[in-house]
Amino acid sequence: MSENRVYNFSAGPAVLPEEVLREAAADMMNYKGCGMSVMEMSHRSKMFDDIIKTAEADIRELIGIPENYKVLFLQGGASQQFAAIPMNLMKNKKAGYIVTGQWAKKAYQEAKLYGEAVELASSADQTFSYIPDCSDLPITDDMDYVYICENNTIYGTKFKTLPNTKGKNLISDVSSCFLSEPVDITKYAIMYGGVQKNVGPAGMVIDIIREDLITDDVLPCTPTMLKFKTQADNDSLYNTPPCYTIYICGLVFKWLKANGGLAAMKERNEKKAALLYDFLDNSKMFRGTVRKEDRSLMNVPFVTGNDELDQKFVAESKAAGLENLKGHRTVGGMRASIYNAMPYEGVQKLVDFMEDFEKKNG
Ligand SMILES: *Cc1c(COP(=O)(O)O)cnc(C)c1O
């Protein structure tokens, strides 16, 4: 770590790889000899065409996305997709939602504006601290799709096995686990994620959509911009896209490739998470809040059980260069988000700090 930077455990916008920030800084004034910054160039220029095409090719290679899926770079963040998905897919005006946290709930509530959204399962009864059994859900034939939030950023749970959708299309919000491990994209109809958690700067969502779902048959009154077909027909360039964000995401894809791709990321992420979870499991002061088998590799909430001690921990950890460890306002306690770009040393430093804090305050 360098230049007086902190270890940033924010849930999002979140830590980016230092190599990427350095490269962006070097490119800032004069991108590849063109005499201007990426922020200043036309989205119709040859230079930007290379940037967006390369970014797409690289994410395709990283995930292994087959030809029959489109990759779209869209504005409005993940939250805009809460509306876009029902608008584009609710042919029967009915869909099933698995409610495992606030983001899933927001998507579920938004879908109700456009049709019948059915809560297939929920973990609200235990403050979303686990993933419900999704092996035999009350899915009916007339449902257009089944929706999940795969990694629950706020509560720190993750689907380790995908739900049995009984043949229905699976739609997954992967905002906070995007590119953190290998995935079989063919199990999904749409996988999408806001990029500011694990991929890039805020303000963009990447949708990976199976082509047969991109049609003109959408709900009446679907805005032109929210129609997948508009965006797909125009290769994400219907209007001016978030050019700089696409460029930074492209640098992150290159960084992921240079660091061994998603299999290597998974290994790294498991090592980092194990360090923290093992500490939590052995601590007398701190404990994790999530059922063990559902623990996220990316977001790790924990508490002392004493609000004053939690506050003291957050304040003192910040002073020690460990930032943004305060838990979400609805959960309290602490949360460490340890995305791809968080180095092992950052988690080691956090664990050392926790050990020391426990000794002093135990
Ligand atoms: C942060 C987050 C969102 C919201 O993302 P925006 O880009 O702010 O709309 C949605 N889903 C999940 C899982 C998130 O973590």
Side-chain angles (χ1 to χ4, degrees), residues 76-80 82 103 149 151 153 173 175-176 194 196-197 204:
S79 302
Q80 183 73 282
F82 298 168
W103 295 116
C149 177
N151 185 82
T153 325
D173 174 357
S175 295
S176 50
Q196 77 275 25
K197 307 290 161 64
M204 187 168 83

Side-chain angles (χ1 to χ4, degrees), residues 261-282:
L262 302 191
M265 274 307 126
K266 178 175 200 244
E267 209 175 295
R268 243 173 80 114
N269 290 330
E270 282 174 345
K271 243 182 97 186
K272 284 187 299 186
L275 182 62
L276 184 49
Y277 284 126
D278 286 349
F279 175 79
L280 288 171
D281 290 344
N282 290 305

